[in-house]
């Protein structure tokens, strides 16, 4: 294979043309068949040149069957360069009004305008041409080339992005999306000469639209302005998104509302097929948040290494735009945030190694009303290889299922896979407090595991029952909470939970809560009821006075959405209680209003003459299934009725129930009506 240099051949031609008297003939034609020309940057096949001299005006043609160039251009065929006007000088060979034609995969040039000159002494070729309309663009390129490389300046606009992305000539990374529309404007300089090797490009993108086949990534009307700079140390990139909207599952962002969204990367380098590293980067979400990243290294979509410092001045927007979609389907997936925060993250080996954060005025509110925090401030420091600490102050507390929580402070010990309360703390609520003695949270592969021990300190029952939508009670609630566990199977109590109320005890057992923060949490429990003081109970309901004590059981109680769906409840006079047993006229009448009847030694007309009555036994039972309660009392009668109050002494009066099947919601409605309405009047 003959190795030659085409430029040297042109030099020979130029010398011949410049020899005095060479143009004596009417016309001169020189044909040079170079064959194959090999250069470090190209490989030309069947290269031919023809030089013409007519009326002392030289011109030439250059053709080649194929030209192999470095990727991404690759193999170019059917090359033809026509130079109708050649400028000759002692050192310079120039071409005016040239035309260039060639074919490459996906591209055809047909007589594209070209001007160039060759400085023989400097060994440099300079060229300029209008953009030949590729990818529907317009503009101009110019530059120069010598043995060390190429210098190119360009100013282009109106490039069609969908055509550009589909062309094999353009090294666009495979992003897995199809570009439907958009235009690109570029201006800058490329230099590949020795010791320079640089690229600077200013770009503007307008009306970009893209999508993928799964519908998980899409954008419309996007406007971007930015700059790419490449040097020996890698790429520097700056981008600003100002218009349009983008969806990248699970996030949606409208740049015109939240922007500008800015991104910059310094010294970005590709280290492998799908690996990149960068010295530092910055991401800015409008005026809402900013993240500074240093020492980054990625593999595919995974961040292998990096130091991240973040600031969020508006947690309300950050929560709605970023946290909410990311946490969808979790307990926090439907929350609204407020306040500000900042922190740092350290990632190594593809894992989070350390994290710290501080918050000011932070709050969140579950939009389903299940929980909320207000005005939290504090800081936390965590490591994956040792202990850490956190301290928080809840300046205005919050609520849990509508139950208010007052202000308190807590200190935590952070472990690599968990957290625990450092010292016992009282959380104010319902005019009392929830005492936290032990609280441990461990992260397991299948979800968190929580252990809790504490106490209930004099909670206000009236506020609690009103908040939960239960029949209103008054008085105080106190008790001890044994070990409580919460994991993937729900919440359960290991042991028995003692609740002291109405001067008696309620012992809860087999307590379990499932889907605690779901749309319809379920609670299963059974209870032993011991010596409840009826006077305090009936005063709480404002039902009318009843004196005495009752005991009983609530078996297989099921609450769905905190409303009873199933239970077997039975309470009656405690046989071992020797105390006073009296029932007021108003209580008798209210029991009658709720569906009972009167039988006794006197008629109802004479009840008004007595303030209260003695009784021997009092009680009722309810087997609830769905919305129907099957009632019974302390004794059954032959006619199918049942006794709710069994009289004792004179005047004797019994309260009898006749309807064994009672609609539970209607019963609760009547009970509330009795409490809220005026007392009955007997005439």
């Amino acid at each position: 294979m003959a190795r030659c240099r085409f430029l040297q051949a042109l030099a020979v031609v130029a010398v011949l043309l410049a020899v005095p008297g060479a143009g004596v003939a009417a016309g001169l034609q020189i044909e040079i068949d170079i064959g194959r020309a090999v250069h470090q940057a190209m490989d030309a096949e069947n290269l031919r040149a023809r030089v013409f001299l007519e009326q002392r005006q030289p011109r030439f043609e250059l053709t080649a069957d194929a030209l192999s160039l470095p990727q991404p251009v690759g193999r170019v065929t059917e090359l033809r360069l026509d130079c109708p006007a050649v400028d000759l000088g002692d050192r310079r060979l120039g071409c005016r009004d040239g035309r260039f034609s060639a074919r490459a995969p996906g591209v055809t040039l047909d007589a594209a305008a070209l001007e160039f000159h060759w400085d023989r002494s400097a060994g440099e070729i300079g060229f300029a041409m209008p953009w030949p309309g590729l990818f529907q663009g317009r503009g101009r390129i110019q530059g120069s080339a010598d043995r060390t490389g190429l210098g190119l300046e360009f100013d282009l606009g109106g490039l069609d992005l969908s055509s550009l992305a589909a062309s094999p000539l353009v090294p666009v990374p495979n992003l897995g999306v199809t570009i439907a529309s958009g235009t690109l404007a570029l201006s800058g300089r490329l230099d590949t000469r020795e010791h320079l090797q640089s690229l600077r490009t200013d770009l503007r993108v307008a009306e970009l639209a893209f999508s993928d086949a799964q519908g998980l990534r899409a954008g419309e009307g996007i406007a971007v302005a930015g700059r790419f700079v490449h040097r020996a140390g890698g790429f520097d990139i700056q981008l600003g998104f100002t218009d349009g909207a983008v969806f990248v599952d699970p996030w949606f962002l409208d740049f015109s509302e939240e922007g500008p969204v800015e991104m910059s990367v310094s010294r970005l380098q590709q280290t492998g097929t799908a690996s990149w590293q960068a010295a530092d980067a910055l991401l800015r979400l409008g005026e809402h948040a900013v993240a500074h990243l240093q020492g980054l290294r990625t593999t595919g979509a995974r961040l292998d290494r990096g130091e991240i410092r973040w600031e969020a001045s508006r947690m309300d927007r950050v929560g709605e735009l970023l946290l909410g979609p990311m946490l969808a389907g979790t307990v926090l997936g439907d929350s609204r945030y407020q306040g500000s925060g900042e922190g740092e993250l350290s990632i190594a080996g593809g894992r989070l190694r350390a994290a710290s954060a501080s918050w000011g005025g932070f709050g969140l509110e579950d939009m389903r009303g299940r929980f909320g925090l207000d005005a939290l401030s504090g800081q936390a420091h965590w490591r994956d290889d040792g202990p850490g600490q956190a301290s928080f102050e809840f300046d205005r507390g919050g609520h849990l299922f509508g139950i208010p929580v007052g202000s308190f402070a807590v200190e935590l010990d952070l472990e690599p896979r968990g957290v625990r309360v450092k010292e016992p703390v009282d959380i104010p609520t319902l005019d009392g407090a929830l005492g936290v003695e032990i609280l441990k949270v461990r992260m397991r592969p299948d979800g968190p595991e929580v252990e809790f021990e504490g106490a209930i300190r004099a909670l206000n029952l009236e506020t609690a029952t009103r908040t939960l939508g239960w029949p209103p009670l008054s008085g105080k609630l106190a008790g001890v909470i044994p070990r409580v566990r919460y994991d993937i199977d729900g919440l359960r109590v290991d042991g028995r939970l003692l609740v002291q109320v109405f001067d008696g005890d309620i012992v809860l057992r087999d307590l379990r809560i499932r889907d605690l923060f779901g749309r319809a949490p379920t609670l299963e429990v059974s209870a032993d009821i011991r010596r409840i003081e009826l006077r305090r109970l009936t005063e709480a309901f404002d039902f009318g006075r009843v004196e005495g004590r009752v005991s009983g059981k609530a078996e297989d109680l099921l609450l769905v959405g905190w409303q009873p769906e199933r239970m077997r409840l039975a309470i009656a006079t405690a046989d071992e209680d020797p105390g006073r047993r009296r029932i007021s006229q108003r209580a008798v009448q209210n029991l009658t209003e709720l569906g009972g009847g009167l039988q006794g030694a006197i008629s109802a007309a004479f009840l008004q003459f007595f303030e209260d009555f003695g009784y021997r036994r009092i009680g009722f039972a309810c087997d609830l299934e769905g919305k129907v309660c099957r009632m019974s009392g302390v004794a059954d009668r032959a006619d199918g009725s049942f006794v709710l109050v069994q009289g004792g002494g004179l005047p004797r009066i019994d309260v009898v129930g006749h309807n064994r099947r009672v609609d539970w919601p209607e019963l609760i409605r009547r009970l509330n009506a009795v409490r809220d309405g005026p007392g009955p009047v007997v005439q």
Side-chain angles (χ1 to χ4, degrees), residues 424-439:
V425 60
D426 281 353
I427 302 175
T429 180
L430 301 174
D431 301 327
L434 174 65
V436 179
E437 304 294 334
I438 296 175
L439 177 61

Side-chain angles (χ1 to χ4, degrees), residues 506-520:
I506 298 178
V507 180
L508 304 178
R509 47 188 169 82
D510 303 324
L511 175 63
R512 180 180 295 271
I513 301 177
R514 293 184 173 88
D515 196 20
L516 178 59
F517 295 103
R519 293 187 179 274

Side-chain angles (χ1 to χ4, degrees), residues 40 268 333 450 571 618 648:
Q40 61 182 2
L268 177 65
V450 182
I571 58 173
I618 189 171

